[in-house]
Amino acid sequence: MTNLERVALEIKTVGLYDLVLQDVQKIAGRNRVSEKEIEHILIDHPEILEAYKQTNLEYNLSNIHLRDIELDKVPKKCRQKAKKVNDNLAVLREIEKYTLAFEQSSTLVIIFSVEFFVLFSVQYFIVLLDLKEWQWPIYTVFALSIVVAWWYAKKEQKKYKEESARYEALYEETLKLLEELEDEGCVKKDDLWIMECEDHV
């Protein structure tokens, strides 16, 4: 559900993807590449498309380039299936962030940031406030915070794994439903593409 034409245009023209563009230029062997050349490189080198998708996820941009189906514009016989597609797309957009590797997620960054703050606070209490007689209880609190952070990180890592698997299954189901709707003449996938991102500045 990622439109390669849009991806190629964004890689070429949007500064957010400059690192991806540099990889494309290395593969092409020159600095000037057309959008069609980028599309071919995306097909031949799936790691480039993956880098584009990772960049989007890191900036909370969706890799799902399909808009919802307007239910009142499809025949009645197709509305239930079309509604299911819309419901699936909503869930996919919501859980898409879990397809990012946990090690690269903002969740892990937040956990480390909190632990750094706790460590800084421990040092502040002991050294600056001259609470050396309380240092062992304070260090114990710090040690407990590490255990809590480790437990929370493991819990989130499991959640990322489960939601990523759920995303893959729902993605395949939605693609199949879209194909069925196209085969039945209810929708045209080409009419559903979102060809530009409003979040790009």
Side-chain angles (χ1 to χ4, degrees):
M1 287 181 259
T2 302
N3 186 294
L4 291 186
E5 190 180 328
R6 170 178 161 175
V7 174
L9 176 66
E10 289 183 345
I11 287 173
K12 186 174 179 182
T13 60
V14 179
L16 178 64
Y17 308 104
D18 280 350
L19 291 176
V20 181
L21 178 60
Q22 288 172 18
D23 290 339
V24 167
Q25 290 166 337
K26 278 181 197 169
I27 291 167
R30 60 186 182 287
N31 287 339
R32 300 192 84 169
V33 284
S34 69
E35 289 163 37
K36 281 291 174 198
E37 288 174 305
I38 295 172
E39 281 184 56
H40 288 297
I41 289 170
L42 290 168
I43 293 165
D44 296 338
H45 298 271
E47 70 275 8
I48 300 295
L49 181 58
E50 199 54 40
Y52 165 88
K53 288 181 175 182
Q54 291 286 326
T55 302
N56 278 347
L57 291 174
E58 288 166 9
Y59 285 89
N60 294 317
L61 299 172
S62 181
N63 289 311
I64 298 170
H65 298 160
L66 286 178
R67 66 175 48 89
D68 287 352
I69 298 168
E70 293 182 49
L71 298 178
D72 57 341
K73 292 187 177 178
V74 295
K76 280 188 179 179
K77 63 173 185 167
C78 305
R79 284 189 187 161
Q80 189 174 356
K81 206 176 276 188
K83 185 180 182 315
K84 179 67 176 162
V85 168
N86 288 350
D87 292 344
N88 284 3
L89 287 173
V91 174
L92 286 168
R93 289 183 192 109
E94 185 182 320
I95 66 173
E96 189 177 15
K97 61 187 172 191
Y98 295 108
T99 61
L100 186 66
F102 178 70
E103 294 74 21
Q104 298 172 346
S105 70
S106 60
T107 305
L108 199 59
V109 172
I110 291 167
I111 291 169
F112 280 124
S113 299
V114 168
E115 277 308 297
F116 179 78
F117 176 75
V118 171
L119 176 62
F120 176 79
S121 299
V122 164
Q123 292 302 318
Y124 175 80
F125 283 122
I126 293 171
V127 177
L128 294 178
L129 297 179
D130 196 27
L131 296 174
K132 288 181 183 165
E133 67 274 8
W134 291 93
Q135 69 181 350
W136 289 115
I138 292 170
Y139 280 129
T140 303
V141 169
F142 176 63
L144 286 172
S145 77
I146 290 173
V147 171
V148 169
W150 178 84
W151 170 81
Y152 183 73
K154 284 293 180 189
K155 181 181 165 196
E156 285 297 301
Q157 188 176 30
K158 183 181 176 194
K159 184 177 181 181
Y160 267 73
K161 188 176 178 183
E162 289 169 354
E163 291 295 326
S164 181
R166 180 179 167 215
Y167 179 92
E168 292 302 322
L170 204 56
Y171 190 94
E172 290 303 318
E173 178 190 314
T174 307
L175 279 179
K176 188 179 174 193
L177 286 169
L178 277 168
E179 283 174 22
E180 289 172 9
L181 285 168
E182 265 198 305
D183 291 344
E184 293 167 18
C186 300
V187 297
K188 284 184 180 177
K189 196 173 176 184
D190 287 346
D191 295 338
L192 299 175
W193 287 123
I194 302 168
M195 292 309 292
E196 61 180 36
C197 178
E198 295 176 2
D199 293 324
H200 289 145
V201 179

